[in-house]
C-alpha cells in the first residue's frame, strides 16, 4: 500500500477541477485526474506532469456505474487507499431553466450528474477512503444552492438567474453532504461542501469574474483540513455559506 497522500478529483480535465488537481499536486500529493474523455484527460495529465505534479489519469464518467467501479479498482491497484475525494464534476444543464419553461428531462439529467453522480462516486470510493488515516471529502457546490441566499433571507440579491435544474441540484447536494456528515460523525472522515465563487469557465461561457485557480482555493483548503476540522458545513473563501 502506498504511503503517499492520494487524491481523486472528478471533472479535473479543465476549469476549477484542473486547478484543484494542480493545487493538491503542488503539495506533493499524487493526484488522480478523473475525466470521462480520454483525449481531454490525457492532455490534462500531461500538462499537470509538465508542471511537476504526480498526476495519473482516471477514466471516470460519474453517471456510469461501471466506469465508477473501474475507477475505484484503478486507485485500489495503484495505491491501495484514497485520502481525499473532491467531487467537482458537474453540468449546468443548458437552457431554458426558468421554472415555467424547463423541460423536466433537464432537471433529471442535471440531478443525475450533480447529485447522484456524487453519491455514486463517493460510495465507490468509501472502502478506499476508510483505509486512509485522515480521509477528506469535498463536494463542489455553489452559493446558488443556498436557500437563504435564493430567498433573500441572508440579505442581498439572490445569486444567479432563476435556474430550476442547476441551482436546486446544488441545494440537493448540500443536503446530501449533511446526510453523509451525520452518518460519518464519529469517524475520521470529514465531508464538506464549498462554493468557488463566480469563476470564468466553460460552465458559464467564461462569464465568471474569478480565475479557476482562485475558485480552487476553498476546495484545496477543505481537502487539507486538520483532523479536528469542521464537517457537514458549507464554505466559501469568506467563510461559512448559510444553507
Ligand atoms: N464556474 C463557476 O462560476 C462555478 C460557480 C459555482 C460552482 N461551480 C462548480 O464548480 C465545479 C466545476 O465547474 P467549472 O466551472 O470548472 O466547470 P467546467 O469547466 O464546465 O468543468 C466541469 C467538469 O466536470 C466534468 N464533467 C461533467 N459531467 C461529467 C460526467 N458525467 N463525468 C465526469 N466528468 C464530468 C467536465 O468534463 P468534460 O470536459 O468531459 O465535459 C469538466 O471536467 C462544478 O461542480 C460547478 O457546479 C462553478
Amino acid at each position: 500500500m502506498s504511503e503517499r497522500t492520494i487524491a481523486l478529483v472528478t471533472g479535473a480535465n479543465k476549469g476549477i477541477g484542473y486547478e484543484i488537481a494542480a493545487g493538491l499536486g503542488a503539495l506533493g500529493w499524487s493526484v488522480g485526474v478523473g475525466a470521462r474523455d480520454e483525449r481531454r484527460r490525457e492532455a490534462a495529465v500531461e500538462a499537470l506532469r509538465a508542471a511537476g505534479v504526480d498526476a495519473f489519469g482516471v477514466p471516470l464518467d460519474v453517471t456510469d456505474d461501471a466506469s465508477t467501479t473501474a475507477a475505484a479498482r484503478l486507485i485500489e491497484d495503484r495505491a491501495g487507499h484514497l485520502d481525499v475525494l473532491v467531487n467537482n464534476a458537474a453540468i449546468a444543464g443548458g437552457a431554458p431553466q426558468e421554472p415555467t419553461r424547463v423541460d423536466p428531462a433537464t432537471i433529471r439529467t442535471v440531478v443525475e450528474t450533480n447529485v447522484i453522480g456524487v453519491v455514486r462516486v463517493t460510495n465507490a470510493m468509501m472502502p478506499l477512503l476508510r483505509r486512509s488515516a485522515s480521509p477528506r471529502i469535498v463536494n463542489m457546490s455553489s452559493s446558488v444552492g443556498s436557500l437563504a441566499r435564493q430567498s433573500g433571507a441572508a440579505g442581498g440579491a439572490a445569486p444567479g438567474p432563476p435556474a430550476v435544474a442547476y441551482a436546486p441540484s446544488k441545494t440537493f447536494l448540500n443536503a446530501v453532504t449533511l446526510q453523509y456528515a451525520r452518518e460519518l460523525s464519529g469517524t475520521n472522515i470529514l465531508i464538506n461542501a464549498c462554493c468557488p465563487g463566480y469563476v470564468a469557465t466553460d460552465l458559464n461561457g467564461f462569464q465568471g469574474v474569478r480565475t479557476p485557480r482562485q475558485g480552487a482555493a476553498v476546495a484545496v483548503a477543505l481537502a487539507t483540513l486538520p483532523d479536528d476540522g469542521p464537517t457537514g458545513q458549507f464554505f466559501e473563501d469568506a467563510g461559512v455559506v448559510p444553507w
Side-chain angles (χ1 to χ4, degrees), residues 10-17 34-37 40 60-63 87-91 113-114 140-143 166 170 195-204 208:
T10 70
N13 53 285
K14 65 181 180 184
I16 298 165
R36 54 186 169 175
D37 178 86
R40 292 195 288 275
L60 178 57
D61 180 338
V62 303
T63 66
N87 287 306
N88 167 79
I91 56 172
T113 300
N114 296 7
M140 188 54 87
S141 183
S142 170
S143 65
Y166 181 73
K170 295 301 190 180
C195 174
Y198 191 32
V199 177
T201 67
D202 264 341
L203 195 86
N204 52 36

Side-chain angles (χ1 to χ4, degrees), residues 26-149:
L27 302 173
W29 294 9
S30 184
V31 184
V33 175
R36 54 186 169 175
D37 178 86
E38 183 179 358
R39 190 183 53 78
R40 292 195 288 275
R41 182 177 62 250
E42 290 315 313
V45 168
E46 211 171 291
L48 287 163
R49 284 185 181 157
V53 174
D54 177 17
F56 60 98
V58 180
L60 178 57
D61 180 338
V62 303
T63 66
D64 186 281
D65 284 336
S67 168
T68 306
T69 303
R73 200 172 306 122
L74 185 154
I75 292 170
E76 162 125 54
D77 291 347
R78 186 183 178 92
H81 75 286
L82 182 65
D83 297 292
V84 170
L85 170 63
V86 182
N87 287 306
N88 167 79
I91 56 172
Q97 287 201 24
E98 295 90 341
T100 58
R101 297 177 59 220
V102 74
D103 178 347
T106 301
I107 300 178
R108 196 172 293 121
T109 304
V110 169
V111 168
E112 182 62 48
T113 300
N114 296 7
V115 183
I116 299 172
V118 171
V119 173
R120 181 180 287 111
V121 173
T122 301
N123 289 356
M125 300 301 159
M126 196 53 72
L128 300 174
L129 287 162
R130 288 190 192 278
R131 291 181 202 155
S132 168
S134 301
R136 307 286 178 260
I137 303 169
V138 182
N139 290 340
M140 188 54 87
S141 183
S142 170
S143 65
V144 303
S146 162
L147 294 178
R149 289 196 179 163

